[in-house]
Amino acid sequence: MDAASSEALAYLDTIAYGAPYKTLKAPSKFWVRKQTHKGSNGKTVSIPDADLTGKWVVISGSNNGIGLEAASQFARWGANIVLACRNLPPNSRETPPESAKWHVTTEARKAGHKDTSVEWWELDMANLASVESFAQRWLDTGRPLDILCNNAGMGSSPGFNKVFKTKDGFEIIHQVNFLSHALLTLRLLPSLAAASEPRVVCTTSCFHFPGIFDIPNWNGENGKTGQGGVQFYMNNKLYFQTWLTELQYRLLQHDEYKHITINGVHPGYVNSGVWNLNGSPRPIQEGALKVLAWFLAINTQQGSLCITNAATSLDAGPDPKVQGVGKEGGKGGGRYFNRIWEDTPMPHTKDRDCRVRVWRKAAEELKLQEKGLLDVLGLKAT
């Protein structure tokens, strides 16, 4: 980048988080509704089988729902799996991790993979110390990481209509659905870089379209939770899709990282545990949502295809002309997939000002510079 270009971008490094956006073209409400509605496409689909024999896959939130289905499919394809899940609290409605491990192992054996490794490692996304511990445990193995699936998430807040913070001091949906995955991904970059064609799959959502790009309310400072915390959910899906696009941009600037491909995916309208409303005082509302999902939504197997497709398909793979690896037909990363179809994300993801603000703010909250996690990728726009 020449001096003039660097100078032109310098304002992005210091601009106030709440300042007006100079280049962002906000979409119409009609377009937002249209794009959101696309996410409810319930067409039954399939994807080609893949050979993942000997590959290592880490998938968070893999004891339940689409995460468990995706882990099972990866195992059928011969991959070694690390189920990254929290140790469940009492009265949890999720599948116990040990049961999930047994199920995934059984699926691998049925497919003839007798030597496939399936492990459960504790990972609590509401606890940054747990994220750090998990990442270090993986790095200590010395294994290259072929596929990282940032899938864990929560659809509603234990505080319901009030801001609920973790012991780390962050609004819980903000931390679980976004911040912790950003930290995990950056911690595991050396291991991803050691793989031949590594991919990172991030479960974002079509609900990133109605998300509000509101960094001054980034951590619940101004409330505006939405019912059950749904506004925080939508906002953080938008931040996550924006952040991963900036990460891909930065990875491409460095020879040691440019072969890593990262994309965001929407599972579809899925009948899963996401409709268990955390902290909800309204069981009738929760029951109604579950009944609708039972009759109208796709099942978790169909929902999981967004993950397995982004992790293995040619289209979602690296662009050999840009990244130096992969096959012709790969289109690289920084993209958004509605189930298995690429679609246009919110324009914030393409606007460098928006992307750098998210990158800076996440770095500030997670103290990424102090931890040495931006030594290569950098903090500044240039």
Side-chain angles (χ1 to χ4, degrees):
M1 182 177 293
D2 58 36
S5 298
S6 296
E7 185 176 350
L9 288 174
Y11 79 96
L12 299 182
D13 298 326
T14 57
I15 192 168
Y17 291 124
Y21 296 93
K22 295 182 178 181
T23 56
L24 177 68
K25 295 182 179 180
S28 69
K29 291 182 179 179
F30 172 79
W31 185 85
V32 168
R33 285 195 296 269
K34 177 185 174 183
Q35 290 298 99
T36 306
H37 182 68
K38 282 184 181 180
S40 61
N41 185 328
K43 180 180 179 180
T44 299
V45 296
S46 61
I47 64 173
D49 286 330
D51 182 6
L52 297 182
T53 304
K55 303 292 186 182
W56 277 98
V57 178
V58 169
I59 176 167
S60 66
S62 43
N63 62 308
N64 222 49
I66 66 170
L68 178 56
E69 289 286 351
S72 299
Q73 185 60 70
F74 287 139
R76 294 185 202 106
W77 287 339
N80 301 302
I81 312 291
V82 173
L83 304 172
C85 317
R86 63 177 180 158
N87 198 357
L88 300 182
N91 303 317
S92 172
R93 290 179 278 186
E94 297 179 28
T95 304
E98 285 291 354
S99 298
K101 176 184 174 182
W102 177 86
H103 173 77
V104 174
T105 303
T106 300
E107 291 302 302
R109 301 298 180 261
K110 285 180 181 177
H113 301 292
K114 300 186 182 301
D115 298 323
T116 290
S117 174
V118 179
E119 306 171 16
W120 165 46
W121 292 13
E122 185 174 358
L123 176 62
D124 183 354
M125 306 307 271
N127 182 349
L128 293 183
S130 176
V131 177
E132 294 278 12
S133 177
F134 179 95
Q136 191 58 54
R137 180 179 177 183
W138 174 265
L139 293 173
D140 287 344
T141 68
R143 300 167 180 160
L145 179 55
D146 299 284
I147 302 170
L148 170 63
C149 301
N150 290 319
N151 171 69
M154 56 195 304
S156 55
S157 170
F160 202 58
N161 294 340
K162 297 181 179 179
V163 176
F164 184 97
K165 293 194 174 183
T166 68
K167 66 180 183 180
D168 295 307
F170 301 118
E171 191 278 318
I172 192 168
I173 295 176
H174 176 53
Q175 179 169 337
V176 170
N177 290 15
F178 170 42
L179 278 186
S180 287
H181 283 116
L183 177 60
L184 180 65
T185 303
L186 293 175
R187 277 290 184 207
L188 295 180
L189 274 185
S191 183
L192 287 161
S196 58
E197 294 182 23
R199 301 197 196 187
V200 181
V201 181
C202 300
T203 304
T204 55
S205 172
C206 73
F207 278 124
H208 89 272
F209 291 104
I212 299 173
F213 204 85
D214 186 14
I215 294 184
N217 191 39
W218 173 268
N219 200 34
E221 291 88 346
N222 302 325
K224 303 178 187 177
T225 63
Q227 190 167 11
V230 68
Q231 192 61 60
F232 287 149
Y233 178 87
M234 295 188 292
N235 295 357
N236 279 281
K237 292 301 184 181
L238 176 56
Y239 299 145
F240 200 9
Q241 185 69 43
T242 303
W243 181 87
L244 72 85
T245 309
E246 178 66 13
L247 174 59
Q248 182 68 79
Y249 174 85
R250 290 174 183 252
L251 293 172
L252 293 177
Q253 314 307 312
H254 302 281
D255 287 342
E256 66 266 48
Y257 289 148
K258 69 180 183 181
H259 63 301
I260 301 173
T261 304
I262 179 168
N263 283 306
V265 297
H266 167 60
Y269 176 29
V270 185
N271 181 22
S272 70
V274 73
W275 305 111
N276 294 329
L277 300 183
N278 296 301
S280 173
R282 302 176 183 177
I284 294 177
Q285 180 190 40
E286 181 178 295
L289 289 171
K290 289 185 174 182
V291 169
L292 285 173
W294 178 266
F295 285 105
L296 301 177
I298 60 176
N299 61 31
T300 52
Q301 183 275 331
Q302 283 289 295
S304 71
L305 294 180
C306 69
I307 298 174
T308 51
N309 176 73
T312 62
S313 74
L314 173 62
D315 177 55
D319 179 346
K321 294 179 182 178
V322 175
Q323 296 174 262
V325 298
K327 300 177 181 178
E328 185 176 353
K331 297 178 182 178
R335 297 184 288 151
Y336 165 72
F337 287 80
N338 173 20
R339 299 190 65 197
I340 65 171
W341 308 287
E342 184 180 1
D343 207 346
T344 303
M346 278 290 270
H348 303 69
T349 67
K350 306 300 182 184
D351 186 271
R352 194 75 203 288
D353 186 359
C354 293
R355 295 197 335 238
V356 171
R357 290 193 207 193
V358 169
W359 185 264
R360 286 168 50 207
K361 185 65 173 177
E364 179 183 299
E365 285 199 313
L366 293 169
K367 297 180 171 55
L368 298 179
Q369 275 197 305
E370 295 89 330
K371 293 175 180 177
L373 293 177
L374 298 181
D375 289 351
V376 176
L377 298 178
L379 176 64
K380 294 184 178 182
T382 54

